[in-house]
Amino acid sequence: MDMIEIEHQLFSAKVLLQGAQIIHFQWKNQQPLLWSTDASFYQEGKPFRGGIPICWPWFGKAQDPSHGFARINKWKLFYREDKQDSVYLEFILNSDMLKLSYWPYIFLLKLKMYLGKELALSLSIDSDVETTAALHSYFYTESIEQTSIHGLSHSFFDQLNQQNVIRESSSLKIDEQIDRIYQSTLLNVIQRPQDQIVIHHENASDVVVWNPWSEGSEKISDMKTQDYQHMICIETARINTPIKNETLSVMIQHKG
């Protein structure tokens, strides 16, 4: 698949034109920010597992394909600007480019991607109908059992047990399969063994936390059995509150 590879003085990055999907980002002399599996498909029309896929115009298995068609179609690189301290990319995908028989609505998606001292993605959605969406971020960790997540809301929907849950703690350590839709907070922190990742959500109604653990990984064809030990998904989403002519954004920072 067509890919943009960037070697900057501050970072390295890889972005697929399919899905306008950043699949690798690493600040110099730091651990990788994003996770992707060696078992991912580099094949047109198949989703790539890792990085930050764009889920649109639906989240999950509401229709086929799962998580929508934005992540499995080729976007157009509309603009690029390289600077000493950053790289800026802008991509577009619209109804004229796809002409999908099963999605008979006019739409225009724009993805603005800023790569520098922070990583920021902003997805603008202009659509004839309300949709759901997510910036499905996969974050890397050396060890999931030594990783914790902070700043979560006190209520969530447990997708594994199909029930609403209220808990006292706003922090979470993961030691089992998890698939939760939290009410959105403005900021989450991933405490990795050696550093912190700070995630700023903008215009999100939900934050999804997902790790398939060993039993889930075994059922996923493009994941290796031990992959769950090195990844955690913290997703900036609009699920319970659909989105129409709005922008969904995430900004990610590193703290040593």
Side-chain angles (χ1 to χ4, degrees):
M1 292 189 288
D2 293 334
M3 183 188 302
I4 301 167
E5 298 190 58
I6 301 170
E7 286 294 335
H8 191 274
Q9 64 178 355
L10 298 180
F11 61 86
S12 62
K14 295 179 181 179
V15 184
L16 297 175
L17 288 184
Q18 176 171 291
Q21 182 173 341
I22 184 166
I23 62 171
H24 168 74
F25 186 84
Q26 184 172 4
W27 287 289
K28 297 297 184 182
N29 303 315
Q30 301 294 340
Q31 297 181 86
L33 172 68
L34 303 176
W35 172 89
S36 61
T37 175
D38 293 338
S40 288
F41 298 115
Y42 284 90
Q43 186 175 343
E44 290 186 5
K46 287 195 173 184
F48 182 96
R49 187 172 298 280
I52 308 181
I54 296 171
C55 303
W56 189 88
W58 52 81
F59 179 84
K61 299 180 180 179
Q63 297 184 47
D64 188 50
S66 180
H67 285 318
F69 54 77
R71 65 178 182 156
I72 59 171
N73 280 280
K74 188 173 181 179
W75 293 49
K76 179 181 178 181
L77 178 61
F78 184 72
Y79 180 76
R80 174 172 178 167
E81 184 176 7
D82 293 70
K83 294 184 177 181
Q84 190 172 0
D85 62 349
S86 63
V87 174
Y88 174 79
L89 305 171
E90 189 168 329
F91 302 87
I92 61 170
L93 182 73
N94 62 40
S95 46
D96 290 338
M97 294 166 63
L98 298 186
K99 300 187 182 301
L100 297 172
S101 59
Y102 57 85
W103 186 255
Y105 307 107
I106 296 173
F107 69 88
L108 171 63
L109 303 182
K110 289 184 180 179
L111 180 71
K112 297 177 180 179
M113 187 181 297
Y114 175 88
L115 306 92
K117 292 182 179 179
E118 60 268 345
L119 172 63
L121 276 68
S122 181
L123 176 66
S124 297
I125 300 170
D126 184 357
S127 173
D128 277 359
V129 294
E130 289 187 334
T131 61
T132 55
L135 300 171
H136 193 310
S137 305
Y138 289 80
F139 293 98
Y140 170 81
T141 180
E142 288 180 291
S143 169
I144 188 62
E145 293 179 341
Q146 298 179 50
T147 299
S148 56
I149 304 163
H150 305 272
L152 295 166
S153 66
H154 293 281
S155 62
F156 63 87
F157 180 73
D158 188 332
Q159 297 203 97
L160 298 177
N161 298 316
Q162 292 293 297
Q163 63 181 8
N164 291 303
V165 179
I166 297 176
R167 62 196 303 266
E168 292 184 5
S169 177
S170 61
S171 299
L172 175 68
K173 292 203 73 171
I174 297 174
D175 56 8
E176 62 182 350
Q177 185 177 13
I178 186 171
D179 190 356
R180 299 176 178 178
I181 302 177
Y182 283 84
Q183 291 182 0
S184 179
T185 53
L186 295 177
L187 183 148
N188 293 123
V189 175
I190 303 175
Q191 180 67 60
R192 303 194 293 189
Q194 304 298 328
D195 59 12
Q196 288 184 342
I197 300 300
V198 182
I199 309 163
H200 302 264
H201 309 282
E202 184 176 337
N203 202 28
S205 61
D206 313 276
V207 172
V208 181
V209 179
W210 179 70
N211 183 297
W213 213 248
S214 56
E215 60 269 36
S217 298
E218 292 173 355
K219 300 175 183 178
I220 300 174
S221 62
D222 57 347
M223 283 190 73
K224 296 181 177 179
T225 305
Q226 301 302 314
D227 276 347
Y228 75 92
Q229 296 180 350
H230 303 293
M231 55 77 65
I232 181 64
C233 283
I234 311 289
E235 308 169 34
T236 307
R238 288 286 294 267
I239 301 169
N240 290 309
T241 303
I243 191 168
K244 192 175 181 182
N245 299 316
E246 299 177 67
T247 299
L248 180 65
S249 304
V250 64
M251 195 253 294
I252 306 162
Q253 297 172 309
H254 173 266
K255 290 190 177 182

